[in-house]
Amino acid sequence: VGGKKHKFWETQPVGQFKDLGDTSLPEGPIELPTPVSEVKQEPYNLPSLYEWTTCDIDSEETCAEVYSLLTNNYVEDDENMFRFNYSKEFLRWALRPPGYFKSWHIGVRVKVSKKLVAFITGIPAKIRVGDVVVTKAEINFLCVHKKLRSKRLAPVMIKEVTRRVHLENIWQAAYTAGVVLPTPIATCQYWHRSLNPKKLIDVGFSRLGARMTMSRTIKLYKLPESTVTPGFRKMELRDVPAVTRLLREYLSQFIVAPYFNEDDVEHWLLPTENVVDSYLVESPETHEITDFVSFYTLPSSILGNQNHSILKAAYSYYNVSTKTPLLQLMNDALIVAKQRDYDVFNALDIMHNESFLKELKFGPGDGQLHYYLYNYRVKHALKPSELGLVLL
Ligand SMILES: CCCCCCCCCCCCCC(=O)CSCCNC(=O)CCNC(=O)[C@H](O)C(C)(C)COP(=O)(O)OP(=O)(O)OC[C@H]1O[C@@H](n2cnc3c(N)ncnc32)[C@H](O)[C@@H]1OP(=O)(O)O
Ligand SMILES: CN(C)Cc1n[nH]c2ccc(-c3ccc(F)cc3OCCn3ccnc3)cc12
């Protein structure tokens, strides 16, 4: 009845708004796989001025083109004050996990000028939904140049990445977005913890609280100079087996979560300069690894501010607490982030994050992040605390 018309999404194997509440529909794949030989072999048609291109992210030149397209045309906050500024080394990390396909790094160029004007990516990932582990495509970095918006290019990009994923005999996908589409499996809130309140207020990210002075605000967010947990140290290559065991056990409690093996853990969680930081707690007595905390580095460009052009943000990634209280573990992460000159530490209210957000002085963000599955129906929407999956 009534409701927004999703001309494209109503044609796709995703939960449809009209089906909400119909509990007769089974959990699981919506459409069955077809033989790979029957998948459309040639790319979808683009408007005649444009051509498909596969972006070789290893190439410095192509990576720079992708970086530039995203830096100028990717996601902005609702007030268009900030835009994500994924670095080139971050993009190489995000797009080249174990088993990745170059053919899933898809661009659109203007035929004449060869200018890159659109992008979409997929990476393979084993994701468990309930007790079913399925290799899915994680779709990300969908971007159409600002000058080419509202021309229905996005549906073509989505159909093309779907086709290329089908060619690898993969039939499900996972993605997140700040916009509401048919149909979220979960809707999360994001929270921000000020580390550099003066800069955040200067650039308009935060506002001075009522009856608060700047010096009082700086004092409110002050953190100790050093971490407090005994045995807290950076993760190293030798820790991969133990961290894999710790993380797999911990993530098994959530309804949707990645199914990481050691190669995945080495790729996604071994510290990479300026991209991802991970720390663990090694018991000084037993040398057992009991806890883990990680965050990734995703700056945002500050649009239209004279004094600052970049907001240095850390995003909570995967955290495991078995001995050290999560509150203390996360506070140590805040301390490290402050030491490393981050302006803000962000977190979603997923996993057990709810338990520390308010106490560690996170403030609620101004939007939501919706989680989606493609060609997989879940019987009930999940609570954020049932989600154990972080997409970049
Ligand atoms: C088995 C494998 C399956 C793999 C595929 C799985 C699915 C993967 C899905 C992709 C996951 C990406 C995840 C991801 O990257 C993380 S979400 C970030 C998306 N990117 C941005 O927000 C960057 C700035 N915006 C843009 O570049 C454009 O506005 C985009 C390109 C977003 C839309 O370009 P446009 O010029 O503004 O719009 P039209 O071309 O005229 O198209 C309008 C249609 O696009 C639908 N739309 C709008 N935003 C969307 C979004 N974020 N997801 C999905 N659909 C989105 C919209 O509802 C409408 O369809 P409807 O008429 O049915 O409502
Ligand atoms: C997840 N990944 C797919 C990128 C992505 N796409 N769409 C989004 C909408 C919100 C968030 C998000 C997630 C966690 C968080 F703490 C803050 C966030 O956005 C703040 C608002 N903002 C947007 C740009 N600059 C600031 C990410 C995304």
Side-chain angles (χ1 to χ4, degrees):
V1 177
K4 263 175 65 177
K5 291 272 158 284
H6 288 283
K7 284 275 164 290
F8 166 68
W9 279 110
E10 281 161 11
T11 70
Q12 296 299 294
V14 291
Q16 298 295 336
F17 292 138
K18 65 178 173 45
D19 297 335
L20 276 173
D22 181 350
T23 52
S24 71
L25 295 165
E27 174 139 328
I30 294 169
E31 280 180 353
L32 292 177
T34 68
V36 172
S37 58
E38 288 177 22
V39 174
K40 189 176 182 325
Q41 299 297 304
E42 64 288 337
Y44 280 90
N45 287 334
L46 280 167
S48 61
L49 287 179
Y50 308 106
E51 63 188 13
W52 294 112
T53 182
T54 297
C55 293
D56 175 9
I57 208 78
D58 299 345
S59 136
E60 179 50 41
E61 187 189 356
T62 308
C63 194
E65 286 183 284
V66 170
Y67 168 79
S68 169
L69 174 72
L70 295 176
T71 292
N72 294 308
N73 301 280
Y74 201 49
V75 185
E76 298 173 8
D77 67 308
D78 292 350
E79 290 164 53
N80 306 105
M81 293 173 66
F82 308 99
R83 188 184 307 125
F84 285 133
N85 186 339
Y86 289 88
S87 69
K88 284 186 281 185
E89 58 267 40
F90 190 106
L91 291 168
R92 287 198 192 99
W93 171 67
L95 298 177
R96 296 185 307 178
Y100 80 97
F101 301 97
K102 277 187 181 295
S103 59
W104 293 9
H105 302 159
I106 306 169
V108 172
R109 292 184 186 280
V110 178
K111 275 179 184 158
V112 172
S113 63
K114 300 300 178 203
K115 181 178 164 52
L116 187 69
V117 291
F119 190 59
I120 189 167
T121 67
I123 55 168
K126 277 203 182 63
I127 296 176
R128 180 179 50 76
V129 179
D131 47 22
V132 181
V133 179
V134 173
T135 298
K136 295 179 174 41
E138 283 180 9
I139 306 301
N140 210 338
F141 304 110
L142 168 60
C143 183
V144 166
H145 193 286
K146 283 171 180 269
K147 292 206 170 71
L148 298 178
R149 295 282 170 84
S150 307
K151 295 173 180 295
R152 308 302 292 180
L153 257 181
V156 183
M157 309 284 293
I158 294 164
K159 288 191 291 190
E160 182 59 16
V161 74
T162 302
R163 187 186 72 84
R164 297 191 189 190
V165 171
H166 285 164
L167 286 173
E168 302 296 343
N169 199 26
I170 291 171
W171 304 93
Q172 271 75 35
Y175 50 105
T176 57
V179 292
V180 177
L181 304 162
T183 299
I185 62 159
T187 292
C188 312
Q189 311 284 333
Y190 41 81
W191 293 68
H192 313 290
R193 207 286 184 183
S194 295
L195 298 174
N196 182 349
K198 184 168 178 338
K199 177 174 175 183
L200 295 181
I201 290 166
D202 282 354
V203 305
F205 182 91
S206 339
R207 279 183 301 285
L208 204 52
R211 292 184 305 285
M212 288 285 279
T213 62
M214 183 60 85
S215 62
R216 171 97 181 69
T217 303
I218 290 167
K219 202 159 170 283
L220 173 70
Y221 291 112
K222 190 142 185 55
L223 288 160
E225 293 298 304
S226 46
T227 57
V228 306
T229 305
F232 187 87
R233 64 169 173 82
K234 254 186 167 320
M235 178 186 176
E236 297 165 20
L237 185 59
R238 63 189 169 94
D239 301 311
V240 165
V243 168
T244 305
R245 280 192 297 278
L246 193 71
L247 192 54
R248 283 181 82 149
E249 172 59 31
Y250 193 78
L251 290 175
S252 66
Q253 67 187 297
F254 303 110
I255 295 178
V256 172
Y259 193 74
F260 285 137
N261 64 29
E262 289 188 6
D263 292 341
D264 299 321
V265 168
E266 181 176 337
H267 178 80
W268 291 119
L269 294 165
L270 206 52
T272 306
E273 176 85 29
N274 210 15
V275 170
V276 60
D277 283 86
S278 6
Y279 296 84
L280 49 79
V281 179
E282 177 180 344
S283 156
E285 297 79 39
T286 68
H287 296 289
E288 187 199 0
I289 293 176
T290 56
D291 311 280
F292 179 81
V293 64
S294 61
F295 56 84
Y296 59 85
T297 297
L298 168 51
S300 274
S301 304
I302 302 170
L303 310 174
N305 182 281
Q306 268 65 29
N307 314 332
H308 303 278
S309 57
I310 292 286
L311 189 70
K312 189 173 177 185
Y315 286 72
S316 181
Y317 198 31
Y318 290 100
N319 309 310
V320 178
S321 146
T322 67
K323 290 277 183 314
T324 308
L326 186 59
L327 196 79
Q328 179 182 319
L329 198 63
M330 294 311 296
N331 200 55
D332 276 346
L334 293 177
I335 291 164
V336 167
K338 176 64 183 172
Q339 286 171 350
R340 312 272 296 284
D341 212 20
Y342 287 84
D343 297 321
V344 64
F345 192 102
N346 293 330
L348 292 165
D349 60 354
I350 62 175
M351 296 186 267
H352 297 153
N353 292 355
E354 187 88 62
S355 70
F356 62 76
L357 291 167
K358 289 193 180 108
E359 198 151 351
L360 292 185
K361 298 174 186 155
F362 282 75
D366 62 3
Q368 298 173 310
L369 188 69
H370 306 278
Y371 278 68
Y372 300 94
L373 292 178
Y374 184 96
N375 192 23
Y376 202 90
R377 193 192 313 280
V378 291
K379 260 211 181 302
H380 313 288
L382 279 66
K383 293 178 287 193
S385 56
E386 292 170 328
L387 267 181
L389 177 66
V390 179
L391 297 189
L392 302 170

